[in-house]
Amino acid sequence: MSELSGEESISPLDDAPPVLEQLMRRYQEADRAAAESLMQALMPVLIRFFLSMPDGRLAADDLVQETLLRIHRARHTYRPGEPVLPWVYSIGRHVRVDHYRKLRRTVHHEEAVDPDILQARAISTQSEAEGSPDFDTLMNYLPESQREVLTMLKVLGMTVEEVARVTSSTTGAVKQKAHRAYDRLRSLLERPPAGPTAVGDES
Amino acid sequence: MNIYLDRTGDSLLPAEAQEHLTRCSRCRNLYIRMGPMRQLTERGHLASSGIPPEILDDLKPVRPVPPGPVLALLYLIPVVIALALGVWMWGAGGWQAQAAVTRVALFGAICVAAALAGYSLSREMIPGSRRRIAVRPAAAVAVLVFVGVVAISFHRQYNIDLASISESCFLRGLEIAALTFLLGLGIARHGAWLDRAAAVRIIGLLAASSALLVLTTYCPVLNAAHVFGSHLAAVTVVIAASWLLGRVVR
């Protein structure tokens, strides 16, 4: 089997799953070359994963290292024949959540601010300055669970089924969260009405 | 429209969705903005420190965990052991005292609850595994069935000291739950344990189901106040304790 180089692994993962599954199986059998190739292939995937999450951007490299270690410790929980990436993302998600909890424990907020007021202020300021708020900014005003689902669907390009696996939920629950996020984003994007609503406008 | 938004960026929208976008400014605004979202991550650098040396230094062959359904059955072994022990020590007076229909409803509800706990634990121990069952609604139905059947059919009055019997049942329930919890921890130790709090709480639910199963099997007192005040009280204490323990180990 050909090994993945670091450069190759940065390319889109359309053809990667079968390769990753083979590497994962060999990794479970303690094949050193397969372990190296697998880790090289997963590193850019994980960096992209953590960069996509607002609370993971600053420490993406540390989180990747921690995730690789946890992957190693939990490698026996990968079932041959199952997709590798949801398994990897699921581990990465827990690393990110732990990191987030740790941050929350250490960071003390000196001033309590109503999130709704903060949100309205930020959107209003940005709208005035640029005409409309940045989408990345808007995402920060979604509840954590909705933001996570939408990021996986839209930024990382996962399917609903994959997101359900990663977030330990059902596909129905994922769709519900995504649809609630769409509704919320529509509301956030909507500008104050300058005139009568256009005929035929519907949500 | 939300269903089509799920597929943003993957392919062309169907004609009906495109037509909707021409008419609806709210959906059009959202659709246009979600298009380039994948570029968000390309703003950062795709560089990493490399493979942690501990990984390559610690390469040993491992055996993959059994498939999900097998794992779920394995996690029910502590419940079976606890039930066998309970029947051996205290008998099966409750089973014998109940009418057939009541028996089917009560034990059906408890077994469903235990099976759901085993299923949840197996999913928790295998990262990225598929979840086909919405566990919470199913568990809520099982609890409602149990409570409803007890409230409707357990009306017998006894000329005995129910308080002391209730205390005895309560303590036995805690003993059985503790045994099941420890056995559950032992069997689940090879899992992923990514979310310790969730794992501990699910094992707590398994222990609570086990306690209720044993109490319902051995206790011949068919009185709703007794069942609610001792059997379900023990279950509540076990669930609360595992929830608190989950907070501690998180």
Side-chain angles (χ1 to χ4, degrees):
Chain A
M1 187 199 323
S2 65
E3 290 179 8
L4 288 172
S5 72
E7 288 297 316
E8 286 167 342
S9 59
I10 294 175
S11 63
L13 284 162
D14 293 344
D15 300 324
V19 177
L20 289 179
E21 284 171 25
Q22 288 171 23
L23 289 174
M24 194 66 213
R25 274 201 291 266
R26 285 170 50 198
Y27 174 40
Q28 288 181 322
E29 293 161 4
D31 183 328
R32 189 183 176 91
E36 284 177 340
S37 299
L38 181 73
M39 297 297 162
Q40 292 291 349
L42 291 181
M43 275 191 284
V45 174
L46 286 170
I47 287 178
R48 191 169 288 125
F49 175 74
F50 289 121
L51 287 177
S52 70
M53 309 287 176
D55 52 347
R57 282 177 196 165
L58 293 175
D61 189 35
D62 291 342
L63 296 177
V64 170
Q65 296 290 304
E66 176 61 24
T67 307
L68 292 179
L69 285 171
R70 288 205 200 178
I71 284 173
H72 181 67
R73 286 197 288 268
R75 64 193 187 280
H76 63 288
T77 61
Y78 169 73
R79 293 277 317 141
E82 292 283 309
V84 175
L85 285 180
W87 181 81
V88 167
Y89 282 138
S90 179
I91 294 173
R93 177 177 180 263
H94 280 99
V95 170
R96 187 183 66 80
V97 169
D98 288 348
H99 169 73
Y100 178 64
R101 286 194 185 126
K102 202 172 167 184
L103 274 182
R104 276 182 60 179
R105 277 199 298 268
T106 51
V107 174
H108 298 282
H109 296 283
E110 292 178 356
E111 185 188 0
V113 181
D114 184 344
D116 286 337
I117 295 172
L118 195 69
Q119 166 186 338
R121 197 185 298 158
I123 292 173
S124 154
T125 308
Q126 204 162 5
S127 295
E128 283 169 14
E130 302 170 14
S132 63
D134 175 56
F135 206 89
D136 200 13
T137 309
L138 288 177
M139 288 280 281
N140 289 331
Y141 298 114
L142 290 176
E144 166 63 23
S145 62
Q146 292 177 15
R147 187 170 67 223
E148 181 182 47
V149 163
L150 209 59
T151 302
M152 288 180 186
L153 284 171
K154 297 296 160 196
V155 181
L156 296 168
M158 292 185 196
T159 63
V160 172
E161 164 72 28
E162 286 171 334
V163 176
R165 282 173 176 263
V166 174
T167 56
S168 307
S169 55
T170 59
T171 52
V174 169
K175 283 182 185 171
Q176 190 182 50
K177 280 178 188 164
H179 293 183
R180 282 181 181 163
Y182 300 149
D183 291 342
R184 182 121 172 92
L185 288 173
R186 278 196 195 94
S187 306
L188 289 169
L189 282 168
E190 212 169 25
R191 287 180 170 204
T197 310
V199 177
D201 258 19
E202 59 193 63
S203 52
Chain B
M1 191 61 215
N2 284 343
I3 296 166
Y4 298 124
L5 286 172
D6 283 342
R7 297 185 288 189
T8 311
D10 292 343
S11 57
L12 282 175
L13 286 175
E16 55 183 344
Q18 287 184 353
E19 188 190 336
H20 176 81
L21 287 181
T22 60
R23 288 186 288 112
C24 176
S25 60
R26 296 178 76 215
C27 290
R28 186 170 59 245
N29 204 5
L30 180 61
Y31 181 76
I32 290 169
R33 282 158 186 275
M34 285 209 297
M37 281 183 71
R38 286 194 196 188
Q39 295 166 8
L40 276 178
T41 55
E42 290 164 14
R43 293 175 194 167
H45 297 289
L46 294 179
S48 172
S49 301
I51 305 170
E54 299 96 307
I55 292 177
L56 299 176
D57 294 345
D58 180 44
L59 267 184
K60 292 172 196 154
V62 290
R63 186 187 300 169
V65 292
V70 176
L71 208 56
L73 287 176
L74 276 177
Y75 292 145
L76 290 177
I77 288 176
V79 180
V80 175
I81 292 173
L83 178 63
L85 198 65
V87 170
W88 178 65
M89 289 195 304
W90 304 314
W95 172 273
Q96 289 156 358
Q98 292 163 23
V101 177
T102 311
R103 203 183 285 161
V104 168
L106 291 184
F107 285 94
I110 299 170
C111 289
V112 165
L116 288 171
Y119 170 80
S120 297
L121 192 55
S122 72
R123 301 293 87 184
E124 190 62 37
M125 290 297 140
I126 303 177
S129 51
R130 183 181 293 166
R131 300 196 185 214
R132 292 194 177 92
I133 303 170
V135 171
R136 284 178 190 172
V141 169
V143 170
L144 284 176
V145 167
F146 184 89
V147 170
V149 170
V150 168
I152 290 167
S153 58
F154 280 25
H155 290 301
R156 285 194 199 167
Q157 297 299 321
Y158 299 87
N159 292 322
I160 49 175
D161 182 12
L162 270 184
S164 64
I165 292 176
S166 293
E167 186 184 344
S168 167
C169 282
F170 179 77
L171 293 174
R172 285 177 179 180
L174 294 187
E175 287 167 14
I176 288 295
L179 172 74
T180 311
F181 190 86
L182 291 175
L183 290 172
L185 280 179
I187 291 181
R189 74 186 188 282
H190 290 306
W193 284 89
L194 293 174
D195 185 346
R196 290 180 191 171
V200 164
R201 286 167 187 167
I202 296 170
I203 295 174
L205 291 175
L206 195 68
S209 308
S210 174
L212 194 57
L213 180 63
V214 172
L215 292 174
T216 310
T217 304
Y218 99 83
C219 179
V221 179
L222 306 186
N223 178 286
H226 166 72
V227 173
F228 291 142
S230 63
H231 299 193
L232 288 183
V235 166
T236 307
V237 166
V238 171
I239 291 172
S242 61
W243 193 86
L244 286 173
L245 191 60
R247 275 186 74 97
V248 171
V249 300
R250 171 168 279 169

